[in-house]
Amino acid sequence: MTQKFIPRLAAFPQSGDIWRINWLGELSYPDRGEVTSQPSVLVHLSRLTNQHLYMDPAEALNPQFAEFGIKQLRRWVSVGALPFLRVGDIWQNQELIFSPEYEIECFNDLEIKRDAVKLIKSGVSINGDDEFIIPFSEHPWHMGSTNAYCVLIELSGNKRLLIPCLELIRFYFGSSSRLISSLFIPPLKKESLFKEYQFNERNKHLRIILGEGISGVSASDVGRIAVDPVAWHSASLIAGSILKNSITQESINVQSIFPFEGFTDLVCSGKWLSFSGQQKQTFLVYSLRSCSHSFPFTTLEYVAERVKNKKPKDDTPNEKESDSILNGGQQSPSSELLKESDGSKLLIPNKRVFDGAIKFPDLKNKKIWKEDSSNDTTQAGEGRGKKIIKEGLVSVGAPSGYSSARSIDLNEALESPDSKKPPKFLEATLQALKKEEYSKVTLLSKSEEDDWTVPCEAIFDEEGVIDEHLFLESDANKRFRRVSIFEVAFGGNSKNIAVLENEPSFIKCEPNNPALQDRIQIFSYQASKEFVAIKKDSQISSDVFAKIQLEALQKISQKFS
């Protein structure tokens, strides 16, 4: 089971007071005494004068209940921690304790295009000196960083949607701290995000090799950057705006835009503000919750390269101590303290998982394939099997010095708490794989729904109707059966195994052909086709089907001999 992990922030107050993140401001390298490869963001905090108010979002928005202006507390936090720095969140004793909903709005059929989205500063005035886009009387918490950039979208009825650029970056690129840190280090090069990619324009299949250290949880984000020029412009604008401000020696206020153009439904949490004496004219976004715009691919296959790092002599678990996919390794909870510095190159970098939510509904049923070797426990794919042995200082900076902090990559977990656990229909196959010491077992299937399976391939009849045998009834709704695909190696040979959801599970094995383009999709399609054919064959009874699958399991246990 995945444990929720949000590190304590060393930069935040260590006290029993309740603190609210009010605003995110400029960037800088504030502590020259510490070695750091990435900038820090200025976080504005205010102490809630009534500690019970943080449970009531409406009251927490009232300026009279929080200190503001000159009384605000300002702290610098590494940009690698941006994935869990949300305006409006409540912290105590350096820990995140609550994320209020505030005002939730859904903006449907929102058109995102170049001439409809503007970059403005949060302290800008419109139609005169007293007409501020964010009225200080209703929202005083941004007063210390009025040069922070926002994107402005004009809505119908003379209303506006205002999104801080740092929130835009957190939402669309905050799947891992390694990815988001890379975007803030100029000049941004594509090679730092991905080594190469192949995109099939016909079927929209994308195969991508991620850059060194980029986690598989960021594959969808990086895939969009690779394929869509607008997404690349959005990502490169971050480092570009930093470089531009550093040259002019101005305060660094980062810019960004949406990583796509087209229509979308946006779900946001924030606050309605007045304008020109009229109530509820500008919706100021504290945190984005959901975006329905489609990613440019329909299927994604990615390779995550490991971080090249010599293994030091410390108490990090070695390969024998680490658990593989087959042994169901789990992550222990931790109270580690995030330090504002780079990590130590004497300590092996590690991964931590923090809770997320399904931000992009488009990805829910898209097939994402990964290479995730269960025997290669040092691979930087998803960090599975890494046990946390000791607590202490950690850093989201790259390992570059000799500090006491271990470098970590924070990965957003979009699945339910039990999604790391293999589904029941896989249990017999996993047990069979354990019986033989294969040189390598690689899980090739993964989706946003879990860590093990993807929907099975559809088989159509002559009228274009999907065969009914590929569906299961689930909570009064039909859904596709799930399928897992493995590659197993022994000696110089390798085979593919498809396990399709059924009782008993349907298993298909065949020799692996790495040279075959789209081999995973083809193999999955063949498994669906054979399963449908068996289900339609009236001469194959349930007992005969079970016997066939038992023989298949026995072959797996005997290396297919």
Side-chain angles (χ1 to χ4, degrees):
M1 180 180 293
T2 301
Q3 301 284 346
K4 174 180 171 181
F5 177 83
I6 297 289
R8 293 184 295 119
L9 296 184
F12 277 14
Q14 189 177 11
S15 70
D17 291 332
I18 305 294
W19 297 87
R20 176 181 180 268
I21 296 181
N22 288 333
W23 200 248
L24 302 180
E26 64 191 66
L27 304 180
S28 183
Y29 293 85
D31 191 348
R32 297 297 181 183
E34 293 284 358
V35 178
T36 177
S37 58
Q38 61 180 282
S40 295
V41 59
L42 184 60
V43 181
H44 296 261
L45 300 160
S46 68
R47 184 176 61 87
L48 291 184
T49 54
N50 187 329
Q51 296 193 4
H52 298 289
L53 289 175
Y54 75 88
M55 295 298 293
D56 187 343
E59 287 300 314
L61 290 175
N62 192 332
Q64 68 175 313
F65 293 119
E67 297 173 350
F68 56 89
I70 196 171
K71 295 183 179 180
Q72 274 190 336
L73 188 68
R74 305 179 185 189
R75 295 296 172 90
W76 294 99
V77 180
S78 300
V79 293
L82 196 59
F84 51 86
L85 290 178
R86 293 182 296 267
V87 171
D89 277 1
I90 308 299
W91 290 69
Q92 183 182 36
N93 288 322
Q94 303 176 321
E95 293 184 87
L96 175 65
I97 62 171
F98 189 57
S99 296
E101 289 294 332
Y102 297 106
E103 297 180 59
I104 302 294
E105 292 287 346
C106 181
F107 299 93
N108 295 320
D109 296 322
L110 201 62
E111 186 175 13
I112 306 299
K113 58 181 181 179
R114 186 173 297 235
D115 58 353
V117 178
K118 300 177 182 178
L119 278 169
I120 67 167
K121 293 185 177 182
S122 59
V124 71
S125 60
I126 301 177
N127 301 331
D129 294 338
D130 296 330
E131 295 287 350
F132 291 99
I133 190 70
I134 305 179
F136 292 114
S137 60
E138 299 176 38
H139 191 279
W141 301 294
H142 70 295
M143 290 174 60
S145 289
T146 54
N147 287 325
Y149 280 96
C150 302
V151 293
L152 177 68
I153 304 173
E154 298 288 346
L155 305 174
S156 60
N158 294 322
K159 295 187 177 184
R160 304 173 181 86
L161 177 63
L162 194 64
I163 309 172
C165 283
L166 283 168
E167 171 55 23
L168 204 68
I169 297 167
R170 183 202 69 81
F171 180 77
Y172 287 104
F173 301 121
S175 51
S176 69
S177 58
R178 181 63 66 94
L179 171 61
I180 208 165
S181 296
S182 300
L183 303 181
F184 282 83
I185 302 175
L188 179 64
K189 297 180 179 180
K190 291 183 179 180
E191 293 75 17
S192 65
L193 306 180
F194 58 91
K195 302 296 184 182
E196 61 180 77
Y197 76 95
Q198 298 87 38
F199 183 61
N200 189 318
E201 293 285 354
R202 179 180 56 84
N203 61 15
K204 305 298 181 184
H205 174 67
L206 172 64
R207 183 183 185 275
I208 190 167
I209 299 177
L210 300 177
E212 182 180 330
I214 300 295
S215 171
V217 300
S218 295
S220 299
D221 299 336
V222 176
R224 173 152 57 182
I225 292 172
V227 175
D228 190 342
V230 177
W232 166 247
H233 178 55
S234 170
S236 59
L237 182 59
I238 299 169
S241 61
I242 293 174
L243 189 60
K244 179 181 177 181
N245 284 332
S246 63
I247 292 174
T248 59
Q249 295 186 339
E250 298 176 358
S251 61
I252 302 174
N253 288 281
V254 70
Q255 299 177 356
S256 189
I257 58 174
F258 283 89
F260 61 86
E261 288 187 348
F263 289 90
T264 187
D265 297 337
L266 274 185
V267 179
C268 318
S269 172
K271 180 181 182 180
W272 278 105
L273 304 171
S274 66
F275 186 77
S276 295
Q278 297 185 47
Q279 299 297 313
K280 300 188 70 170
Q281 292 297 297
T282 302
F283 190 81
L284 175 61
V285 173
Y286 290 162
S287 63
L288 293 167
R289 299 301 175 91
S290 175
C291 174
S292 67
H293 188 81
S294 297
F295 279 69
F297 52 81
T298 56
T299 57
L300 171 63
E301 180 182 0
Y302 70 86
V303 178
E305 293 193 346
R306 74 178 69 185
V307 179
K308 295 180 177 64
N309 191 58
K310 291 184 179 180
K311 184 176 179 179
K313 293 180 179 180
D314 71 347
D315 58 1
T316 300
N318 57 32
E319 284 134 359
K320 291 183 179 180
E321 293 170 327
S322 297
D323 293 329
S324 70
I325 287 175
L326 302 180
N327 294 326
Q330 297 181 0
Q331 190 179 45
S332 302
S334 174
S335 58
E336 292 171 321
L337 187 66
L338 188 67
K339 184 181 179 183
E340 296 304 303
S341 71
D342 278 357
S344 172
K345 60 184 180 181
L346 297 179
L347 300 172
I348 293 180
N350 217 321
K351 294 184 185 292
R352 304 291 187 265
V353 175
F354 65 94
D355 280 359
I358 299 296
K359 301 185 295 186
F360 309 114
D362 176 65
L363 292 178
K364 187 173 182 180
N365 291 315
K366 285 190 172 177
K367 298 178 182 178
I368 300 177
W369 309 89
K370 56 177 288 191
E371 291 188 9
D372 186 11
S373 173
S374 64
N375 290 356
D376 186 1
T377 54
T378 61
Q379 183 173 343
E382 297 300 315
R384 200 182 270 115
K386 292 291 187 182
K387 297 179 182 177
I388 303 171
I389 286 185
K390 67 176 184 180
E391 298 176 355
L393 297 176
V394 293
S395 165
V396 287
S400 62
Y402 297 93
S403 74
S404 57
R406 184 187 302 279
S407 181
I408 62 171
D409 183 19
L410 293 162
N411 289 189
E412 186 175 27
L414 304 183
E415 68 275 1
S416 62
D418 291 327
S419 64
K420 294 277 185 184
K421 184 179 179 181
K424 188 174 180 60
F425 76 88
L426 270 184
E427 292 177 355
T429 303
L430 294 178
Q431 288 297 323
L433 288 170
K434 283 183 181 181
K435 291 180 180 178
E436 265 314 323
E437 290 297 327
Y438 291 100
S439 58
K440 188 177 183 181
V441 178
T442 303
L443 175 66
L444 300 177
S445 55
K446 182 186 176 180
S447 69
E448 290 295 318
E449 188 159 330
D450 62 31
D451 263 0
W452 296 89
T453 70
V454 293
C456 67
E457 292 287 341
I459 305 296
F460 298 90
D461 63 17
E462 295 178 353
E463 298 180 355
V465 179
I466 300 175
D467 192 280
E468 62 180 7
H469 294 98
L470 295 176
F471 292 99
L472 284 176
E473 296 289 340
S474 176
D475 298 327
N477 295 315
K478 277 188 176 182
R479 66 168 178 85
F480 271 113
R481 296 176 188 267
R482 311 290 293 182
V483 62
S484 281
I485 298 179
F486 299 87
E487 179 185 327
V488 296
F490 47 97
N493 301 315
S494 66
K495 286 183 180 282
N496 289 333
I497 304 172
V499 186
L500 195 145
E501 185 178 11
N502 189 61
E503 181 57 46
S505 300
F506 172 76
I507 300 172
K508 175 179 171 58
C509 306
E510 72 171 24
N512 182 34
N513 184 3
L516 180 63
Q517 188 177 11
D518 298 334
R519 62 187 176 94
I520 305 302
Q521 289 85 345
I522 293 173
F523 182 50
S524 179
Y525 175 82
Q526 291 171 344
S528 291
K529 188 175 181 180
E530 289 187 18
F531 175 76
V532 169
I534 291 176
K535 284 291 189 179
K536 286 185 174 181
D537 192 337
S538 59
Q539 296 183 358
I540 300 179
S541 64
S542 299
D543 292 340
V544 173
F545 181 86
K547 183 179 179 181
I548 294 173
Q549 301 317 305
L550 180 60
E551 291 174 353
L553 282 173
Q554 291 172 345
K555 286 183 178 180
I556 292 174
S557 300
Q558 299 166 7
K559 292 184 179 177
F560 309 99
S561 57

